[in-house]
Amino acid sequence: MAAALRALLRPAAAAAAAARRRALPPRPGARACSAGTPFQYIVVQKKGAKQDVGLIQLNRPQALNALCDGLMQELRRALDAFEGDPQVGAIVITGSEKAFAAGADIKEMQSKTYQQCYSGGFLANWDRVSSVRKPVIAAVNGYALGGGCELAMMCDIIYAGEKAQFGQPEILLGTIPGAGGTQRLTRAVGKSLAMEMVLTGDRISAQEAKEAGLVSKIFPVEKLLEAAISCGEKIAGNSKLVTAIAKESVNAAFEMTLAEGNRTEKRLFYATFATNDRREGMTAFVEKRKANFTDS
């Protein structure tokens, strides 16, 4: 898996060159979007003082980071690589200052039929973002609309720039959200606001999103990514094994009744007593020293 990650991580100069190539007008007859080669649509790096935060930047500036199939395939590969890298304890997904992601690629969807969507499981592979066991932080600047809003909601924590906008405007295109928008948004902000957003296509600001519970914190545009990486470093400094257990327990709250969730929490709590890191954490507390977690 380390080899897979090295294959994804390329020098900044190469990434810049690729960005310049993408800025050129498309060749006549060229496809609007394809799977292509690694890093055609994303930039992947390790960040943090200990290089323990994986950073994935969506990079289709000419399309406001519209989520084409090729981009989502690359995103999945990057997530798989970071998931298998024992050095990485948290992952940050971000876009540009103008757009986190302005939605799914409409040109790619325009000619699809019901039969093609159903038989091909259209958008099914997007769920990989929500199934990663390591914590994922969305750093959202600019537009997070349609599929972009859904992608942000698949992450565990959303940090927003002060000019961010969130919305599910699919109704304006004669369709509805198809990657969890009606489900995750309702759980995050409640039925009334979710229904208003889905039925009107109206956007909400970063401040409105925070007040509604969709966003954890708001930062100046230029400070957002730094703050998200700092949060990732804090998470990565804890036990990676226990962090995964904690994430599983919190996610259970969305799937179970309160009684079932409490039973699940107790079982997972008990399970931490079988780990070296639980023993080290409590011993370090009693001895008034910093814990040295080793489980991964």
Side-chain angles (χ1 to χ4, degrees):
M1 204 48 93
L5 184 60
R6 285 195 298 272
L8 284 172
L9 295 171
R10 66 182 181 184
R20 288 193 296 272
R21 288 195 297 272
R22 283 191 294 273
L24 295 174
R27 300 186 309 275
R31 292 180 60 190
C33 188
S34 63
T37 56
F39 282 32
Q40 185 175 355
Y41 303 119
I42 63 175
V43 176
V44 178
Q45 301 171 283
K46 285 185 181 180
K47 292 289 187 178
K50 297 181 179 179
Q51 298 286 282
D52 52 5
V53 178
L55 173 63
I56 303 172
Q57 182 175 11
L58 311 183
N59 195 28
R60 286 189 77 201
Q62 77 283 9
L64 295 178
N65 293 331
L67 304 174
C68 65
D69 185 61
L71 187 154
M72 295 307 294
Q73 287 185 31
E74 290 181 15
L75 178 60
R76 181 180 184 124
R77 291 179 61 190
L79 289 169
D80 287 345
F82 281 140
E83 181 86 298
D85 186 338
Q87 184 181 16
V88 172
I91 301 167
V92 173
I93 299 178
T94 193
S96 66
E97 289 190 0
K98 188 173 184 179
F100 177 73
D105 195 307
I106 304 303
K107 292 180 180 179
E108 197 173 65
M109 293 192 292
Q110 184 179 9
S111 60
K112 285 187 177 294
T113 65
Y114 167 78
Q115 290 86 346
Q116 289 173 327
C117 290
Y118 187 84
S119 62
F122 184 47
L123 301 185
N125 62 344
W126 286 35
D127 291 338
R128 176 58 180 136
V129 180
S130 60
S131 67
V132 175
R133 298 182 73 182
K134 294 179 179 179
V136 182
I137 304 164
V140 178
N141 265 322
Y143 302 116
L145 307 177
C149 186
E150 290 172 313
L151 174 60
M153 291 190 293
M154 291 179 198
C155 300
D156 302 303
I157 299 169
I158 301 178
Y159 276 8
E162 56 193 359
K163 296 181 180 179
Q165 296 183 42
F166 299 84
Q168 298 290 161
E170 289 86 350
I171 197 77
L172 305 178
L173 302 175
T175 186
I176 69 170
T182 63
Q183 304 303 301
R184 291 189 176 93
L185 186 64
T186 305
R187 286 166 168 77
V189 306
K191 178 183 175 182
S192 182
L193 180 55
M195 195 71 81
E196 181 183 14
M197 291 173 67
V198 170
L199 297 185
T200 66
D202 287 349
R203 307 169 188 174
I204 60 173
S205 67
Q207 187 60 45
E208 290 171 317
K210 185 178 186 302
E211 290 171 358
L214 180 62
V215 164
S216 175
K217 293 180 180 177
I218 299 175
F219 298 90
V221 171
E222 67 279 5
K223 297 290 186 181
L224 173 66
L225 185 56
E226 177 186 346
I229 292 171
S230 177
C231 178
E233 288 186 283
K234 289 181 183 179
I235 293 170
N238 297 321
S239 165
K240 294 179 176 61
L241 175 60
V242 177
T243 294
I245 294 172
K247 174 175 173 174
E248 179 183 349
S249 187
V250 172
N251 281 335
F254 289 94
E255 308 291 340
M256 301 177 178
T257 65
L258 179 59
E260 292 170 332
N262 280 332
R263 285 194 292 270
T264 296
E265 181 188 74
K266 284 290 188 297
R267 287 195 295 269
L268 292 172
F269 168 67
Y270 298 154
T272 67
F273 282 74
T275 69
N276 294 326
D277 280 351
R278 192 281 314 167
R279 186 179 302 108
E280 164 63 12
M282 291 189 176
T283 300
F285 178 82
V286 171
E287 296 177 354
K288 296 182 172 57
R289 61 175 174 83
K290 182 177 176 61
N292 179 28
F293 297 122
T294 58
D295 287 335
S296 61

